[in-house]
Amino acid sequence: MVDKHPFLRISGVVYVALATNLLLVLTSLPVLVLATLVRPGDAVIPLALAIIAAVPGLPAAFEVFRRNSDEGSLSVARTYFAAWWRHLRASLLVGSVVVTILGVLVVDVA
């Protein structure tokens, strides 16, 4: 039924985008709080740890959008947190490597 009605398809995509962005903001809330309330130079290590902790939200968001485009799935929260948990170890490793490389580059430039 969703495939036959363009309005339902468009509203489904808007819902998936808004709900996914809300979940992405919620899971990366420590980064947002530290970046807005504390000067980045004063809290380098907590900010780096918060960025690493926020990285699993990215593959989870991609998984939600992939499921929506492939299957037409509108179950955002279940898909997001299942993908977040499934990609946790790999994304923490990638986030740690990226933050470490960027930290070294920033120290070298400064």
Side-chain angles (χ1 to χ4, degrees):
M1 181 164 167
V2 173
D3 294 333
K4 296 180 181 179
H5 299 290
F7 176 75
L8 293 176
R9 189 177 325 139
I10 291 170
S11 63
V13 169
V14 169
Y15 162 72
V16 167
L18 289 175
T20 303
N21 283 321
L22 177 68
L23 289 172
L24 193 57
V25 166
L26 288 176
T27 55
S28 62
L29 202 57
V31 175
L32 298 173
V33 169
L34 283 173
T36 56
L37 297 179
V38 179
R39 268 189 49 220
D42 294 340
V44 174
I45 293 176
L47 189 59
L49 292 175
I51 290 171
I52 292 170
V55 171
L58 295 174
F62 289 134
E63 179 73 18
V64 170
F65 289 125
R66 186 196 64 79
R67 283 248 176 109
N68 179 264
S69 65
D70 290 350
E71 304 165 6
S73 173
L74 295 177
S75 63
V76 176
R78 180 179 297 150
T79 304
Y80 184 87
F81 287 113
W84 188 91
W85 187 254
R86 185 172 53 251
H87 297 292
L88 180 64
R89 183 174 290 167
S91 60
L92 287 178
L93 179 65
V94 169
S96 300
V97 169
V98 169
V99 167
T100 302
I101 290 171
L102 289 176
V104 168
L105 289 174
V106 166
V107 168
D108 283 346
V109 170

